[in-house]
Amino acid sequence: MIVAVIALAALGGAQPAHRDATTDACEEVVRFGLFDAIAPISIAATTAWLDDAPRVCFGYYRERSGPDALLTLAHGDYDIALMGSTVFTTAIERGVPVSAVGILALPTSSEGLATRAGLGEPRSLRGSTLATVRGSTAHYHLEAFLHEMTIDARDVTIVFGQYVEIMRLWDAGKIDGAACWAPCLDHVLTKPHGGTGAPGALLYDAETLLRWGFGTGIVIVAHDDFISRRPDVVQRVVERSIRAANDYRTNRDGPDWTAGRFADAAGRFLAMDLGNETTVPAAFVVNQLGRTEWPDTRTQIGFLEIGIESLQHQAAFSFAQKDLAEPPYEDPSIYLPHIGASFLRAVTTETVPLDAEPDPVPDFIPYAVRAQLPVPGEGCEPFSVIDGDATFDDGSTGENAYARNANCVWALRAPATGCVALDVPFLSSEGVRDRVEVFSATGDLRATFFGRRGGHPTTVGCVVADAPPPGVAAALVGGAAPDIEGVGLYVRWSTDDEDELAMGAIEPVGFRATARAIEPQERICGPGRGGALCDAPYCVGVVEVTGEGGVIKTQVADDAYQPNSRCAWRIPARGGRVVLDVARLGLERVRDVVTIYDGAAATPGFGALAQPVPFPVFELLRRKYRMSGTHAPTVPLVVDNDVFVTFESDGIANRPRDGGPAGLEIRWRRDAAESTLCPEVASCGRNGRCEEGVCVCDTGYYGETCAFDTCVGAAPWRVAPSGRIVSNAGADYSPGQFCGWPLNIPGREGESIAGIRLRFDRFDIEAPEGQATTTDRAVVFYSVGPQQGSVLCIFRRVMSQQGQTSAGAAVDPATDETKFTFDDGDTLEVLLPEPAAAGANVQLMLGFETDANNHRPFSGFDVTYGVAFDGPAFCDERWPCAEGEVCEDDRCVDEKPRKSKHSRSRRQLRRMKRGVIVAMIVFACVIGLAFCVFGGIYGARVVRTKDELETERVRVVRDQVDSARQWVEDFQAPFCVVAADTFIALGALRPHEALRDGPRDADDDECDKQHTRLEFYDSVDDVERARRGGAVFVFLSHQWLGHAHPDPAGIHYKAMCRALQAVAEDAGVALSAVRAWVDVSSIPQANQATQSLAVASLPTFASCVDYFIVVAPDTEHVTTGCGCDAATYRKRAWCRAEVVACWARRGADRMFVATNRGLRPLFVDTGDGVDTYLEECLEVFAGDLTCCRLQHPDGEPCDKEALVPPFLGLIAELYRDRKQRPEAWEMVSDRVDELFPRTFSYESGGAATTLPLFGDLVEAVTRLVDSESAGDAPPDLVLRGLAPGTTGQRHVAAKAHRGGARSESGRRLASTPTSTTAGPPGRAPALALLRTVSAAHRRAGAASQRASSSELSFNDSSGMATGERTTGTARPGGGVGLAPGTARPGG
């Protein structure tokens, strides 16, 4: 919230006729907006501690949320206010002139997420419905929690509302949880869910998110005008807020804060805030104050000045949530002018007790101990008629608040003079939510007044010559009301269901208006002026434009337009056309808009009779152009009809964010009807052609002159059974648009139209990604008959669970559930509720609605439509018929069958059948005799071959298991690290060779010679010796941000430096004792052979360090433009491998993640011992690999195969130590087949095949470990019947194919893959050689398949090796020794 101090003497027309006794003694009243929660400074509201009477008194107002407080502050109705830091960043980004002068609180357990029973762990949130206040810090924390718990935002439904609405939803059982703050959070934690269920339970609180790096605070914010005018008052607020907080921290257990006067004063504030004038129990006050951290001066300064990066991250969240229309500022200096830390530095009384001089807290004073409440029975009548001169008001008296949920209408009848003038000398309302609206006799909006500012212009209305349209009074009342003759104006007073519960220096509220009869007068205001007397320097209400041309403007000056404007101009065409040139467009993007409508009728919000509907089909049909931002069209806008131009602003910024002239200026003229649009009035440009005086636009271009490369409103009607619609020809469609394409589908005699067929050849609209939400959608409306305006189907874009691919989704408008998904090119059919009458036309409309921003460019959609008849399918050049059908008269019919030219007689067929049967019997006898003769000879050979194969299989399995267990015991390449102080001095990530060799010549000064040495460790023992000597080893794991360089902008390097400093502090050692391993510096980059050895040792490297840190701040990949953060990091298979390797050996205690918010634990205890991050990382072999994405060019082996040996070794250790670390083995034991798959799909050159991966090696490991611990069975016997893993199984098949021959080449093929994929230390396995041999082996195998189309496999029943065709269906069953599930070609 923001608090504003306003001198009543300056209110002008809003000055009340009388003043309350409590404010008579005050020269100035400062308005302070507060939350519905207590703080140490709350005692000021019930003791007048901040007052300096008679000069300054404080009035305190309740706000429901930070966004509401921002709106009130921006409008000037507050001087100072409280708001969450997330909302404060929104104010900065949108250019509101406010500054943070202090931090009131850092929420801990006073804010969080409470859920119903059964949702006690993060994973259970999927499918739930959660409520929060949009744009608040609670909303920010909720999205951050879902992101950190890897819960896709699409799996959770989030509803928004004020905290009072959220409490009602909880009581009704319509939500599963609420993310909010006290008292809303307390309500959910103590009240039964749905009235009968259990109270909610806390799933997380703000303190948890603070530890994770998502720190937020409650900020004291002041309007810059107030700061410049009364810095002394601002200093007093800051000083006493800090003093009260310090007194509470120091004496929280003392009598004053537990049961004494301070606890009572705070309790009275909370009681009045709840709507009564008693107090609340002291124990409740103690509980509320103890759940929040009240920071000291030093902490507040650090939050404001050092925490700008955190504020920028919150701004990025607001942009993702569409609360900001423009991307956040990247330059942190933009924030500095809004940080008023000078007030904090000037504090001198922080440690002074509250009851000591100077300025001790006074005792209660009568006027302060009360809240401004409405009185039952006070209010106004729903409908009243006023004749002649009269004064009327809202019905409240004295200092009472006005009634809630009011909707009162006064009909002001004009006397014989024919006109009536309305003045509003006093108005004090709760912002734009409670307001006075003035309408003409015909229902046009003439003016809107709200807030606490004065100077409201006079409004005049006259009796219309013709009878006014009926129903204006009833429309305003919202019910039955008579049509009154002789009415000049209607006045409506409307309020919402809450009030501000003002306390302290209470001011009168409500309104008072005066009606007086006047003579008719004609006054034409100049451009930018409004009001009946043209005394307002800004536009007001609906204006009837006269003349043949002129200028319409939003305001006189060009610095800022009026907040919460609702202005309109009606321009008659008089049988011709209206041409508009936009001379100036300077609006806040998306939030403030200009819309140009075809036709003179007022639109919803500008006319009593123009009632809004959920889906404004017919209002959309009139919309020609919608503009916002600063890019004015360079060509005239033409409308062949009367024009209704509207301007609306939301009251926050009231100017473009990046400066420049503000507001709207349009120069208009009227052209005669006989002139043609083109080429006389305008040119069609390069994107259209002129046909019969009208521009026909190319596909994807819009506007009467084809000047827009994206849709801007309603397109012309299309009368055709099929066609094509393209949302935009440009690279990105416009945010904040609602476009429509009306379709008149012609019927055909005797046939009914059942619906419409759609084929999205391109469907690229924004989809939810990570924290980014979107409401962009394409909607099909039905606009005829009883179903007028109803929605038939909604099309959105959705992301796959992997976040990599996207598809369209057809959504049921009634349930908002996805009916099915589709890809580009799929044909969809949208059916009407029931087929249209035979021969009748059907009018449909395709709408396209976009939200506040696009987080990246989207190309929109390209859709082909066609009629769907309730019968044979429609066909034309866009919609060809299916196979076997032909298009005749626009209908698909079956293709006529062709007669055979060579028919056979039945007698000839019967003779042929008899001959075939006889031949088959003879052939069967011969074959049977042959089998009897040779069966015995071949059987003995089969048995011998089977035994040899099984022996060879056992040997290979044993070699693979032994090699894998030795693999993880030591390094396969030197472990290279760099000292942390050296690393930080480098200034950027340096490649391995640069650090190894140092500068190559005198001119190379990239790094100092003292900082160019790497440290090499050849074995795990070497690392242990260094660790005993005081060294601390850190593994820095990250995702590369470019194809050519791992960190082009130094983003990861900076995070690494901060992480190393944090490690040194945590370990209690100097930076020089910390040793950092990071891939580009520790792995050779120039020599591919040694690089391969080091890469193969990554899991072993990661498992021998003291600290493991994932470096994943939010950023983008410079080559692809895709986002890179903690979520994308853990999708990479190699990244998952490093995480799991460290966890398997070292546990999770010293594993962290470094993000934009600092260092936090990598794994989060959710209460059940299971972490979703770890669960995802365990799926190493389901992660993304570049080799798989590139489909293994030239038959290169897959990196999954290289990961098998180290992980098999880690499995052996986990199983061996399962009694010492049972929780680790339990994480994998139930998911062995999922985590360590027996086979994998290998794709190369467009062809896919299934190859072995782990085979039965996991079972082999567990059998060997059990055998070794029991010592009861020889290993060869234990391993019988198990299949080898990668390369080993193909080696066995190759040996069998050679008939068991032990040639030299056969031994090489048998040993090389085994030793190189799972070679132990000492054997010096060469992975580069392995890749060459494996690739050659695959190419040779592929060539062999092309030549013979055969491959060896094993037959279940006999174990006989047979050559089976590679085509056909898979044969059921598994071969002898083959891993279950191995794909087998069938004969």
Side-chain angles (χ1 to χ4, degrees):
M1 292 186 190
I2 302 169
V3 179
V5 178
I6 299 178
L8 287 178
L11 287 179
Q15 176 73 23
H18 66 281
R19 306 184 79 175
D20 183 77
T22 62
T23 58
D24 274 341
C26 300
E27 298 175 4
E28 184 175 17
V29 175
V30 178
R31 299 191 182 112
F32 198 154
L34 302 174
F35 279 147
D36 303 45
I38 54 176
I41 192 60
S42 299
I43 62 176
T46 54
T47 62
W49 185 35
L50 291 178
D51 287 9
D52 184 20
R55 293 185 302 158
V56 174
C57 299
F58 275 75
Y60 303 91
Y61 295 84
R62 180 194 69 169
E63 272 297 353
R64 293 168 288 189
S65 65
D68 284 341
L70 173 60
L71 183 64
T72 308
L73 177 67
H75 192 252
D77 287 349
Y78 285 156
D79 300 315
I80 305 174
L82 305 179
M83 64 181 65
S85 54
T86 306
V87 181
F88 173 61
T89 61
T90 300
I92 296 176
E93 293 288 341
R94 294 187 63 180
V96 181
V98 296
S99 296
V101 297
I103 303 297
L104 178 74
L106 300 177
T108 53
S109 60
S110 60
E111 180 204 306
L113 171 64
T115 56
R116 63 169 175 80
L119 300 181
E121 56 184 51
R123 73 175 78 183
S124 60
L125 292 179
R126 292 183 173 91
S128 64
T129 299
L130 307 177
T132 190
V133 178
R134 183 179 184 89
S136 63
T137 55
H139 182 199
Y140 170 66
H141 281 160
L142 174 61
E143 295 284 355
F145 179 78
L146 296 176
H147 182 265
E148 294 298 302
M149 293 293 100
T150 67
I151 299 173
D152 197 306
R154 294 163 291 165
D155 295 336
V156 177
T157 300
I158 299 178
V159 298
F160 301 107
Q162 298 297 340
Y163 75 91
V164 175
E165 299 172 281
I166 294 174
M167 292 191 290
R168 293 171 185 160
L169 291 173
W170 175 263
D171 294 340
K174 295 182 178 180
I175 57 175
D176 299 307
C180 55
W181 54 89
C184 169
L185 185 64
D186 295 330
H187 182 92
V188 176
L189 291 173
T190 57
K191 300 297 182 182
H193 181 249
T196 58
L202 191 66
L203 188 59
Y204 71 78
D205 58 19
E207 186 174 11
T208 302
L209 275 298
L210 176 63
R211 291 198 305 268
W212 293 358
F214 297 93
T216 61
I218 305 301
V219 188
I220 304 174
V221 183
H223 200 286
D224 288 348
D225 289 344
F226 182 61
I227 292 175
S228 62
R229 186 166 58 86
R230 295 305 304 265
D232 57 323
V233 177
V234 176
Q235 185 66 46
R236 184 189 313 164
V237 172
V238 174
E239 187 112 16
R240 297 190 185 181
S241 172
I242 291 176
R243 183 175 167 188
N246 180 76
D247 193 274
Y248 170 77
R249 290 195 309 272
T250 306
N251 306 302
R252 61 185 301 170
D253 297 325
D256 282 344
W257 286 105
T258 55
R261 63 185 188 123
F262 297 153
D264 189 34
R268 288 174 181 268
F269 166 81
L270 186 59
M272 288 187 293
D273 198 40
L274 297 176
N276 60 75
E277 296 188 6
T278 61
T279 188
V280 297
F284 186 77
V285 175
V286 172
N287 174 271
Q288 292 290 299
L289 289 174
R291 293 165 59 192
T292 300
E293 178 185 347
W294 311 104
D296 57 17
T297 304
R298 181 180 178 184
T299 302
Q300 294 187 43
I301 293 174
F303 186 96
L304 289 176
E305 293 188 341
I306 304 175
I308 289 181
E309 184 177 350
S310 175
L311 295 177
Q312 287 182 295
H313 187 269
Q314 294 176 59
F317 158 80
S318 298
F319 179 74
Q321 293 296 313
K322 312 302 182 182
D323 293 325
L324 293 177
E326 299 184 76
Y329 292 113
E330 296 182 0
D331 183 2
S333 64
I334 299 294
Y335 282 64
L336 293 178
H338 298 274
I339 305 299
S342 59
F343 293 103
L344 292 170
R345 290 194 174 89
V347 171
T348 59
T349 60
E350 179 172 7
T351 59
V352 176
L354 293 183
D355 55 0
E357 294 290 346
D359 302 316
V361 176
D363 293 329
F364 302 122
I365 59 177
Y367 85 79
V369 190
R370 64 181 175 194
Q372 188 175 38
L373 298 170
V375 175
E378 288 191 355
C380 46
E381 296 295 327
F383 185 70
S384 305
V385 178
I386 294 180
D387 292 306
D389 297 353
T391 298
F392 56 98
D393 55 38
D394 61 278
S396 61
T397 60
E399 62 189 33
N400 299 328
Y402 47 76
R404 304 170 183 169
N405 294 311
N407 189 74
C408 304
V409 177
W410 292 267
L412 309 184
R413 281 203 292 207
T417 56
C419 296
V420 60
L422 176 76
D423 293 300
V424 183
F426 169 68
L427 171 64
S428 180
S429 73
E430 185 185 356
V432 72
R433 294 180 290 270
D434 304 334
R435 57 193 179 186
V436 174
E437 296 170 292
V438 185
F439 297 86
S440 69
T442 58
D444 280 346
L445 178 70
R446 285 289 184 245
T448 303
F449 308 130
F450 55 87
R452 297 182 174 91
R453 288 188 171 184
H456 304 300
T458 299
T459 309
V460 173
C462 300
V463 178
V464 295
D466 300 327
V472 174
L476 292 173
V477 171
D483 290 324
I484 306 297
E485 294 183 357
V487 171
L489 291 173
Y490 289 98
V491 180
R492 179 168 65 185
W493 164 249
S494 56
T495 66
D496 62 9
D497 60 351
E498 296 205 18
D499 56 57
E500 297 168 305
L501 293 176
M503 59 190 75
I506 296 175
E507 302 172 270
V509 294
F511 85 95
R512 185 180 68 257
T514 301
R516 52 190 172 87
I518 63 170
E519 295 291 335
Q521 53 184 314
E522 184 175 354
R523 186 187 295 265
I524 300 176
C525 298
R529 291 197 169 273
L533 304 179
C534 303
D535 52 349
Y538 49 83
C539 62
V540 179
V542 179
V543 177
E544 301 284 346
V545 177
T546 60
E548 296 299 314
V551 177
I552 56 179
K553 297 177 64 176
T554 52
Q555 81 279 358
V556 175
D558 60 1
D559 52 350
Y561 40 85
Q562 188 73 354
N564 297 106
S565 294
R566 278 196 293 166
C567 307
W569 297 266
R570 182 179 286 116
I571 306 175
R574 297 177 184 171
R577 64 169 58 89
V578 177
V579 181
L580 304 102
D581 284 300
V582 182
R584 182 176 76 216
L585 184 68
L587 310 179
E588 187 186 13
R589 187 180 180 190
V590 175
R591 303 304 180 190
D592 305 333
V593 296
V594 175
T595 311
I596 298 173
Y597 293 94
D598 184 331
T603 56
F606 294 89
L609 298 177
Q611 297 301 316
V613 293
F615 295 98
V617 179
F618 300 104
E619 184 265 343
L620 174 59
L621 285 173
R622 293 180 50 207
R623 184 180 298 174
K624 301 295 291 185
Y625 303 97
R626 185 178 177 88
M627 298 176 290
S628 187
T630 57
H631 297 293
T634 58
V635 297
L637 308 180
V638 183
V639 180
D640 286 322
N641 198 354
D642 297 342
V643 172
F644 193 74
V645 181
T646 66
F647 168 63
E648 299 172 88
S649 66
D650 71 346
I652 297 293
N654 312 316
R655 59 173 60 86
R657 187 179 76 159
D658 297 326
L664 169 75
E665 180 179 341
I666 295 179
R667 304 181 184 277
W668 69 274
R669 70 178 188 274
R670 186 182 298 110
D671 278 354
E674 57 271 13
S675 64
T676 59
L677 173 62
C678 61
E680 294 181 31
V681 177
S683 166
C684 301
R686 295 178 298 174
N687 307 316
R689 61 189 183 279
C690 186
E691 293 184 2
E692 298 180 357
V694 177
C695 292
V696 178
C697 300
D698 297 340
T699 303
Y701 289 92
Y702 295 93
E704 297 290 338
T705 57
C706 310
F708 299 90
D709 63 359
T710 183
C711 64
V712 290
W717 277 93
R718 300 183 178 209
V719 183
S722 69
R724 180 185 175 205
I725 297 172
V726 177
S727 62
N728 52 286
D732 192 14
Y733 56 79
S734 297
Q737 283 287 3
F738 197 172
C739 308
W741 293 266
L743 311 174
N744 191 347
I745 309 295
R748 174 172 286 192
E749 185 177 355
E751 295 187 64
S752 298
I753 296 177
I756 187 172
R757 285 192 295 172
L758 301 174
R759 184 179 65 246
F760 286 97
D761 298 311
R762 182 181 75 246
F763 192 71
D764 182 33
I765 68 175
E766 188 179 21
E769 294 183 31
Q771 287 187 325
T773 183
T774 183
T775 57
D776 293 358
R777 60 182 187 169
V779 185
V780 177
F781 295 103
Y782 182 41
S783 56
V784 297
Q787 303 293 332
Q788 239 175 19
S790 63
V791 179
L792 297 179
C793 194
I794 297 171
F795 299 99
R796 295 195 181 107
R797 187 165 172 260
V798 296
M799 301 298 294
S800 69
Q801 291 300 321
Q802 292 75 25
Q804 296 175 333
T805 59
S806 61
V811 179
D812 187 343
T815 63
D816 201 38
E817 295 180 353
T818 298
K819 299 167 69 175
F820 58 85
T821 59
F822 60 90
D823 295 317
D824 291 352
D826 290 350
T827 296
L828 319 173
E829 197 166 75
V830 179
L831 299 179
L832 305 178
E834 57 185 32
N841 290 10
V842 169
Q843 292 180 336
L844 299 169
M845 184 169 69
L846 177 66
F848 183 36
E849 186 175 5
T850 66
D851 55 28
N853 64 57
N854 296 337
H855 67 271
R856 62 175 177 83
F858 293 92
S859 59
F861 62 79
D862 182 346
V863 60
T864 300
Y865 68 88
V867 62
F869 285 105
D870 189 18
F874 167 80
C875 58
D876 62 5
E877 67 278 1
R878 297 186 180 94
W879 295 96
C881 295
E883 187 176 354
E885 295 180 331
V886 294
C887 188
E888 293 183 2
D889 195 21
D890 298 338
R891 298 294 182 273
C892 292
V893 297
D894 292 336
E895 189 175 6
K896 297 179 180 179
R898 299 179 180 179
K899 296 183 179 180
S900 173
K901 297 181 180 179
H902 306 285
S903 61
R904 305 285 187 179
S905 68
R906 293 184 179 180
R907 184 178 302 174
Q908 289 174 324
L909 290 174
R910 285 197 295 269
R911 281 201 294 267
M912 287 181 63
K913 288 181 180 179
R914 285 197 296 267
V916 169
I917 292 173
V918 171
M920 290 178 63
I921 293 174
V922 173
F923 182 74
C925 293
V926 174
I927 294 299
L929 180 61
F931 267 102
C932 291
V933 172
F934 296 105
I937 299 173
Y938 194 71
R941 181 182 177 186
V942 167
V943 172
R944 184 174 65 253
T945 302
K946 180 178 179 181
D947 290 340
E948 290 179 354
L949 289 172
E950 190 61 32
T951 300
E952 177 69 8
R953 192 188 327 277
V954 170
R955 186 192 68 77
V956 173
V957 171
R958 177 64 184 273
D959 284 349
Q960 287 188 324
V961 172
D962 290 345
S963 299
R965 296 176 69 179
Q966 296 176 33
W967 184 283
V968 295
E969 293 178 2
D970 218 329
F971 305 141
Q972 309 306 305
F975 182 53
C976 305
V977 295
V978 60
D981 55 344
T982 301
F983 181 84
I984 293 175
L986 294 176
L989 288 180
R990 304 292 184 186
H992 175 87
E993 288 73 17
L995 298 184
R996 181 194 64 194
D997 303 335
R1000 297 187 179 274
D1001 53 56
D1003 296 330
D1004 189 351
D1005 58 353
E1006 286 189 357
C1007 48
D1008 193 286
K1009 293 185 179 181
Q1010 296 178 354
H1011 299 138
T1012 59
R1013 286 190 172 274
L1014 288 170
E1015 295 182 13
F1016 292 80
Y1017 296 87
D1018 294 321
S1019 67
V1020 175
D1021 291 339
D1022 292 344
V1023 174
E1024 292 298 331
R1025 281 192 293 272
R1027 183 177 287 116
R1028 289 193 295 270
V1032 176
F1033 291 90
V1034 182
F1035 191 100
L1036 298 170
S1037 179
H1038 71 128
Q1039 179 183 0
W1040 279 37
L1041 301 181
H1043 290 163
H1045 193 279
D1047 188 27
I1051 296 173
H1052 279 183
Y1053 173 76
K1054 294 176 183 177
M1056 291 174 182
C1057 292
R1058 291 193 295 267
L1060 291 175
Q1061 291 169 338
V1063 166
E1065 182 178 350
D1066 183 72
V1069 299
L1071 272 174
S1072 58
V1074 178
R1075 301 291 184 267
W1077 186 101
V1078 61
D1079 53 5
V1080 68
S1081 300
S1082 301
I1083 294 179
Q1085 303 296 307
N1087 188 293
Q1088 295 298 313
T1090 54
Q1091 183 186 74
S1092 298
L1093 292 175
V1095 170
S1097 300
L1098 281 179
T1100 311
F1101 291 160
S1103 65
C1104 72
V1105 296
D1106 301 287
Y1107 288 83
F1108 183 96
I1109 297 177
V1110 172
V1111 181
D1114 295 347
T1115 183
E1116 288 186 353
H1117 194 283
V1118 298
T1119 308
T1120 65
C1122 297
C1124 293
D1125 54 16
T1128 60
Y1129 166 90
R1130 62 177 175 263
K1131 295 183 184 300
R1132 302 288 300 168
W1134 279 106
C1135 296
R1136 293 180 179 182
E1138 294 166 2
V1139 170
V1140 174
C1142 183
W1143 166 82
R1145 279 194 166 174
R1146 296 282 176 176
D1149 291 343
R1150 290 187 171 183
M1151 301 183 71
F1152 300 91
V1153 59
T1155 67
N1156 302 75
R1157 283 79 64 191
L1159 209 62
R1160 67 167 182 79
L1162 182 60
F1163 304 135
V1164 180
D1165 184 7
T1166 59
D1168 59 357
V1170 178
D1171 180 83
T1172 53
Y1173 195 110
L1174 177 57
E1175 282 189 323
E1176 185 175 358
C1177 286
L1178 283 173
E1179 299 173 1
V1180 174
F1181 295 89
D1184 298 339
L1185 286 168
T1186 301
C1187 62
C1188 295
R1189 179 172 58 83
L1190 299 178
Q1191 295 192 349
H1192 311 94
D1194 297 327
E1196 286 291 324
C1198 183
D1199 283 352
K1200 293 180 182 179
E1201 300 177 79
L1203 283 168
V1204 168
F1207 269 84
L1208 191 60
L1210 291 175
I1211 294 169
E1213 291 186 356
L1214 286 176
Y1215 187 71
R1216 181 194 64 198
D1217 302 332
R1218 63 190 182 281
K1219 293 183 179 179
Q1220 290 77 20
R1221 293 184 61 203
E1223 74 287 348
W1225 177 247
E1226 289 173 0
M1227 288 286 291
V1228 301
S1229 58
D1230 295 335
R1231 305 174 62 195
V1232 167
D1233 289 339
E1234 175 191 355
L1235 301 180
F1236 312 109
R1238 299 171 181 268
T1239 62
F1240 74 106
S1241 178
Y1242 177 88
E1243 295 186 20
S1244 181
T1249 184
T1250 299
L1251 296 178
L1253 193 60
F1254 277 87
D1256 293 331
L1257 293 179
V1258 177
E1259 184 176 353
V1261 161
T1262 58
R1263 287 188 187 184
L1264 277 177
V1265 172
D1266 289 339
S1267 174
E1268 291 167 356
S1269 60
D1272 56 357
D1276 291 350
L1277 183 60
V1278 170
L1279 300 178
R1280 290 190 67 84
L1282 299 182
T1286 175
T1287 71
Q1289 200 170 72
R1290 282 177 282 139
H1291 157 59
V1292 173
K1295 178 173 175 54
H1297 187 55
R1298 293 191 299 271
R1302 295 190 173 274
S1303 64
E1304 182 66 24
S1305 61
R1307 284 196 296 272
R1308 284 199 299 272
L1309 285 175
S1311 61
T1312 300
T1314 304
S1315 62
T1316 52
T1317 55
R1323 296 188 186 180
L1327 288 187
L1329 177 61
L1330 162 68
R1331 291 180 177 271
T1332 304
V1333 173
S1334 299
H1337 182 62
R1338 286 207 182 97
R1339 287 193 293 269
S1344 176
Q1345 286 188 8
R1346 288 193 297 270
S1348 63
S1349 298
S1350 64
E1351 181 181 316
L1352 191 74
S1353 61
F1354 298 92
N1355 185 285
D1356 249 346
S1357 59
S1358 65
M1360 177 173 61
T1362 59
E1364 297 183 320
R1365 296 289 180 182
T1366 59
T1367 58
T1369 58
R1371 178 180 297 180
V1376 173
L1378 284 177
T1382 301
R1384 300 184 58 192

